[in-house]
Amino acid sequence: MHRIVLSIRWVGRLTIRACAGVGRFTIFTAHAFSHVFRPPFYFRELLNAVLAIGYFSLPVVALTALFAGGALALQIYAGGSRFDAQATVPSVVAIGMVRELGPVLCGLMVAGRAASAIAAELATMKVTDQIDALTTLSTDPVKFLVTPRVVAAALVMPVLTGVGDILGIMGGYLVGVYRLGFNSAAYLQTTLQFLQRPDVTSGLAKAAVFGLIIALVGCYFGMNSGRGAKGVGRATTGAVAASSALIIASNYVLTEIFFPA
């Protein structure tokens, strides 16, 4: 009986902590969004965030998408050959990339790179009392540090995903034509024939949501980190783990919204 009571208490404590964490994150998100359209606007911080999150993430996103598209073409061809459906490779690669693989892979790559960098930077600023200095100078830390990064991530993630989609389809094209023996013109024609506008727009909309998740989670963990080097490390790893998990979970929800069964 005593063990049952202890188990119930343990579950209760975890539930309370989880609800408290969700509440704090919701308040933090509302605070960040409340400053988006209210002056002053820190355009230099916004530009720096665009470069850090978007431009410098291009190489890893491009490389990942290119090889993912090629691997997807190989797998679809191998699976389709069992049912004499090898001709579906171009269409399935294109639809799979723009709907799912493009935004999800791009989101995970940027989460590993940008969310960790944001969390580490803000956590270091907190440890060195730079965030308190902003408050002393009558500058809202959320307005100056969080909002520009959130806006920048929401703007650049669809662009990164669009580049990833193109390179992923190109990877499938290169493998399909030069490895699997597809006709070049027929491959491109099939791709354009089956790829529709909702496929592309849904993937770009997902990417914008993933960008918000990456920036908000990275900033939240950075602004709420513990003291010392251990606190910075925990904030960094926590930001990557949480943002990756939220991207996967939100991808399912968005897929249900855009393409209900």
Side-chain angles (χ1 to χ4, degrees), residues 16-33:
I16 292 173
R17 289 180 182 177
C19 292
V22 172
R24 287 192 296 268
F25 183 74
T26 303
I27 294 173
F28 180 84
T29 301
H31 191 186
F33 281 134

PDB file of all heavy atoms in Angstrom, residues 16-33:
ATOM      1  N   ILE A  16       2.490  17.642 -12.288  1.00  0.00           N
ATOM      2  CA  ILE A  16       2.499  19.058 -11.895  1.00  0.00           C
ATOM      3  C   ILE A  16       3.668  19.787 -12.540  1.00  0.00           C
ATOM      4  O   ILE A  16       3.530  20.913 -13.047  1.00  0.00           O
ATOM      5  CB  ILE A  16       2.554  19.183 -10.360  1.00  0.00           C
ATOM      6  CG1 ILE A  16       1.235  18.682  -9.754  1.00  0.00           C
ATOM      7  CG2 ILE A  16       2.817  20.628  -9.943  1.00  0.00           C
ATOM      8  CD1 ILE A  16       1.249  18.607  -8.247  1.00  0.00           C
ATOM      9  N   ARG A  17       4.847  19.135 -12.552  1.00  0.00           N
ATOM     10  CA  ARG A  17       6.003  19.762 -13.199  1.00  0.00           C
ATOM     11  C   ARG A  17       5.775  19.963 -14.693  1.00  0.00           C
ATOM     12  O   ARG A  17       6.129  21.006 -15.254  1.00  0.00           O
ATOM     13  CB  ARG A  17       7.242  18.897 -12.981  1.00  0.00           C
ATOM     14  CG  ARG A  17       7.779  18.907 -11.553  1.00  0.00           C
ATOM     15  CD  ARG A  17       9.009  18.011 -11.440  1.00  0.00           C
ATOM     16  NE  ARG A  17       9.502  17.964 -10.074  1.00  0.00           N
ATOM     17  CZ  ARG A  17      10.529  17.206  -9.683  1.00  0.00           C
ATOM     18  NH1 ARG A  17      11.158  16.443 -10.581  1.00  0.00           N
ATOM     19  NH2 ARG A  17      10.913  17.208  -8.425  1.00  0.00           N
ATOM     20  N   ALA A  18       5.178  18.954 -15.331  1.00  0.00           N
ATOM     21  CA  ALA A  18       4.921  19.066 -16.769  1.00  0.00           C
ATOM     22  C   ALA A  18       3.934  20.196 -17.059  1.00  0.00           C
ATOM     23  O   ALA A  18       4.143  21.002 -17.976  1.00  0.00           O
ATOM     24  CB  ALA A  18       4.389  17.741 -17.309  1.00  0.00           C
ATOM     25  N   CYS A  19       2.863  20.256 -16.278  1.00  0.00           N
ATOM     26  CA  CYS A  19       1.870  21.327 -16.484  1.00  0.00           C
ATOM     27  C   CYS A  19       2.479  22.696 -16.205  1.00  0.00           C
ATOM     28  O   CYS A  19       2.195  23.669 -16.927  1.00  0.00           O
ATOM     29  CB  CYS A  19       0.659  21.091 -15.577  1.00  0.00           C
ATOM     30  SG  CYS A  19      -0.327  19.638 -16.003  1.00  0.00           S
ATOM     31  N   ALA A  20       3.318  22.780 -15.173  1.00  0.00           N
ATOM     32  CA  ALA A  20       3.969  24.056 -14.871  1.00  0.00           C
ATOM     33  C   ALA A  20       4.913  24.467 -15.995  1.00  0.00           C
ATOM     34  O   ALA A  20       4.980  25.644 -16.375  1.00  0.00           O
ATOM     35  CB  ALA A  20       4.726  23.956 -13.553  1.00  0.00           C
ATOM     36  N   GLY A  21       5.641  23.489 -16.554  1.00  0.00           N
ATOM     37  CA  GLY A  21       6.539  23.789 -17.671  1.00  0.00           C
ATOM     38  C   GLY A  21       5.786  24.261 -18.895  1.00  0.00           C
ATOM     39  O   GLY A  21       6.196  25.221 -19.567  1.00  0.00           O
ATOM     40  N   VAL A  22       4.665  23.594 -19.206  1.00  0.00           N
ATOM     41  CA  VAL A  22       3.850  24.012 -20.352  1.00  0.00           C
ATOM     42  C   VAL A  22       3.303  25.417 -20.126  1.00  0.00           C
ATOM     43  O   VAL A  22       3.287  26.256 -21.045  1.00  0.00           O
ATOM     44  CB  VAL A  22       2.699  23.012 -20.576  1.00  0.00           C
ATOM     45  CG1 VAL A  22       1.728  23.539 -21.623  1.00  0.00           C
ATOM     46  CG2 VAL A  22       3.256  21.666 -21.016  1.00  0.00           C
ATOM     47  N   GLY A  23       2.886  25.699 -18.903  1.00  0.00           N
ATOM     48  CA  GLY A  23       2.369  27.035 -18.598  1.00  0.00           C
ATOM     49  C   GLY A  23       3.435  28.113 -18.746  1.00  0.00           C
ATOM     50  O   GLY A  23       3.175  29.174 -19.338  1.00  0.00           O
ATOM     51  N   ARG A  24       4.633  27.845 -18.232  1.00  0.00           N
ATOM     52  CA  ARG A  24       5.719  28.824 -18.365  1.00  0.00           C
ATOM     53  C   ARG A  24       6.085  29.056 -19.824  1.00  0.00           C
ATOM     54  O   ARG A  24       6.327  30.193 -20.244  1.00  0.00           O
ATOM     55  CB  ARG A  24       6.941  28.358 -17.571  1.00  0.00           C
ATOM     56  CG  ARG A  24       6.799  28.477 -16.064  1.00  0.00           C
ATOM     57  CD  ARG A  24       8.136  28.285 -15.382  1.00  0.00           C
ATOM     58  NE  ARG A  24       8.668  26.935 -15.605  1.00  0.00           N
ATOM     59  CZ  ARG A  24       8.456  25.905 -14.788  1.00  0.00           C
ATOM     60  NH1 ARG A  24       7.690  26.073 -13.706  1.00  0.00           N
ATOM     61  NH2 ARG A  24       8.980  24.724 -15.037  1.00  0.00           N
ATOM     62  N   PHE A  25       6.134  27.973 -20.603  1.00  0.00           N
ATOM     63  CA  PHE A  25       6.475  28.111 -22.018  1.00  0.00           C
ATOM     64  C   PHE A  25       5.378  28.869 -22.769  1.00  0.00           C
ATOM     65  O   PHE A  25       5.680  29.668 -23.665  1.00  0.00           O
ATOM     66  CB  PHE A  25       6.681  26.730 -22.634  1.00  0.00           C
ATOM     67  CG  PHE A  25       7.095  26.764 -24.079  1.00  0.00           C
ATOM     68  CD1 PHE A  25       8.385  27.133 -24.437  1.00  0.00           C
ATOM     69  CD2 PHE A  25       6.200  26.439 -25.084  1.00  0.00           C
ATOM     70  CE1 PHE A  25       8.770  27.185 -25.768  1.00  0.00           C
ATOM     71  CE2 PHE A  25       6.573  26.474 -26.415  1.00  0.00           C
ATOM     72  CZ  PHE A  25       7.865  26.849 -26.757  1.00  0.00           C
ATOM     73  N   THR A  26       4.120  28.647 -22.422  1.00  0.00           N
ATOM     74  CA  THR A  26       3.021  29.360 -23.067  1.00  0.00           C
ATOM     75  C   THR A  26       3.085  30.846 -22.767  1.00  0.00           C
ATOM     76  O   THR A  26       2.900  31.694 -23.668  1.00  0.00           O
ATOM     77  CB  THR A  26       1.670  28.788 -22.599  1.00  0.00           C
ATOM     78  OG1 THR A  26       1.624  27.388 -22.888  1.00  0.00           O
ATOM     79  CG2 THR A  26       0.515  29.485 -23.291  1.00  0.00           C
ATOM     80  N   ILE A  27       3.359  31.194 -21.521  1.00  0.00           N
ATOM     81  CA  ILE A  27       3.485  32.614 -21.153  1.00  0.00           C
ATOM     82  C   ILE A  27       4.674  33.245 -21.867  1.00  0.00           C
ATOM     83  O   ILE A  27       4.596  34.373 -22.375  1.00  0.00           O
ATOM     84  CB  ILE A  27       3.621  32.752 -19.625  1.00  0.00           C
ATOM     85  CG1 ILE A  27       2.331  32.298 -18.943  1.00  0.00           C
ATOM     86  CG2 ILE A  27       3.963  34.181 -19.230  1.00  0.00           C
ATOM     87  CD1 ILE A  27       2.423  32.227 -17.435  1.00  0.00           C
ATOM     88  N   PHE A  28       5.783  32.498 -21.932  1.00  0.00           N
ATOM     89  CA  PHE A  28       6.978  32.988 -22.638  1.00  0.00           C
ATOM     90  C   PHE A  28       6.669  33.229 -24.114  1.00  0.00           C
ATOM     91  O   PHE A  28       7.064  34.253 -24.689  1.00  0.00           O
ATOM     92  CB  PHE A  28       8.099  31.969 -22.472  1.00  0.00           C
ATOM     93  CG  PHE A  28       9.386  32.338 -23.156  1.00  0.00           C
ATOM     94  CD1 PHE A  28      10.289  33.179 -22.533  1.00  0.00           C
ATOM     95  CD2 PHE A  28       9.692  31.838 -24.412  1.00  0.00           C
ATOM     96  CE1 PHE A  28      11.477  33.521 -23.158  1.00  0.00           C
ATOM     97  CE2 PHE A  28      10.881  32.171 -25.040  1.00  0.00           C
ATOM     98  CZ  PHE A  28      11.771  33.018 -24.407  1.00  0.00           C
ATOM     99  N   THR A  29       5.942  32.307 -24.738  1.00  0.00           N
ATOM    100  CA  THR A  29       5.581  32.450 -26.150  1.00  0.00           C
ATOM    101  C   THR A  29       4.676  33.651 -26.362  1.00  0.00           C
ATOM    102  O   THR A  29       4.867  34.431 -27.317  1.00  0.00           O
ATOM    103  CB  THR A  29       4.880  31.165 -26.638  1.00  0.00           C
ATOM    104  OG1 THR A  29       5.761  30.051 -26.467  1.00  0.00           O
ATOM    105  CG2 THR A  29       4.486  31.282 -28.096  1.00  0.00           C
ATOM    106  N   ALA A  30       3.681  33.823 -25.502  1.00  0.00           N
ATOM    107  CA  ALA A  30       2.781  34.969 -25.624  1.00  0.00           C
ATOM    108  C   ALA A  30       3.542  36.277 -25.449  1.00  0.00           C
ATOM    109  O   ALA A  30       3.285  37.263 -26.167  1.00  0.00           O
ATOM    110  CB  ALA A  30       1.663  34.861 -24.591  1.00  0.00           C
ATOM    111  N   HIS A  31       4.494  36.302 -24.525  1.00  0.00           N
ATOM    112  CA  HIS A  31       5.314  37.506 -24.312  1.00  0.00           C
ATOM    113  C   HIS A  31       6.137  37.826 -25.556  1.00  0.00           C
ATOM    114  O   HIS A  31       6.245  38.987 -25.971  1.00  0.00           O
ATOM    115  CB  HIS A  31       6.227  37.292 -23.109  1.00  0.00           C
ATOM    116  CG  HIS A  31       6.912  38.538 -22.649  1.00  0.00           C
ATOM    117  ND1 HIS A  31       7.870  38.530 -21.652  1.00  0.00           N
ATOM    118  CD2 HIS A  31       6.806  39.829 -23.055  1.00  0.00           C
ATOM    119  CE1 HIS A  31       8.305  39.759 -21.472  1.00  0.00           C
ATOM    120  NE2 HIS A  31       7.670  40.563 -22.309  1.00  0.00           N
ATOM    121  N   ALA A  32       6.713  36.791 -26.173  1.00  0.00           N
ATOM    122  CA  ALA A  32       7.532  37.008 -27.370  1.00  0.00           C
ATOM    123  C   ALA A  32       6.678  37.514 -28.538  1.00  0.00           C
ATOM    124  O   ALA A  32       7.056  38.454 -29.245  1.00  0.00           O
ATOM    125  CB  ALA A  32       8.236  35.717 -27.761  1.00  0.00           C
ATOM    126  N   PHE A  33       5.499  36.917 -28.750  1.00  0.00           N
ATOM    127  CA  PHE A  33       4.635  37.331 -29.857  1.00  0.00           C
ATOM    128  C   PHE A  33       4.030  38.724 -29.642  1.00  0.00           C
ATOM    129  O   PHE A  33       3.715  39.422 -30.616  1.00  0.00           O
ATOM    130  CB  PHE A  33       3.508  36.325 -30.061  1.00  0.00           C
ATOM    131  CG  PHE A  33       3.927  35.092 -30.797  1.00  0.00           C
ATOM    132  CD1 PHE A  33       3.564  33.829 -30.350  1.00  0.00           C
ATOM    133  CD2 PHE A  33       4.688  35.176 -31.950  1.00  0.00           C
ATOM    134  CE1 PHE A  33       3.951  32.687 -31.030  1.00  0.00           C
ATOM    135  CE2 PHE A  33       5.077  34.047 -32.640  1.00  0.00           C
ATOM    136  CZ  PHE A  33       4.716  32.797 -32.177  1.00  0.00           C
TER     137      PHE A  33
END
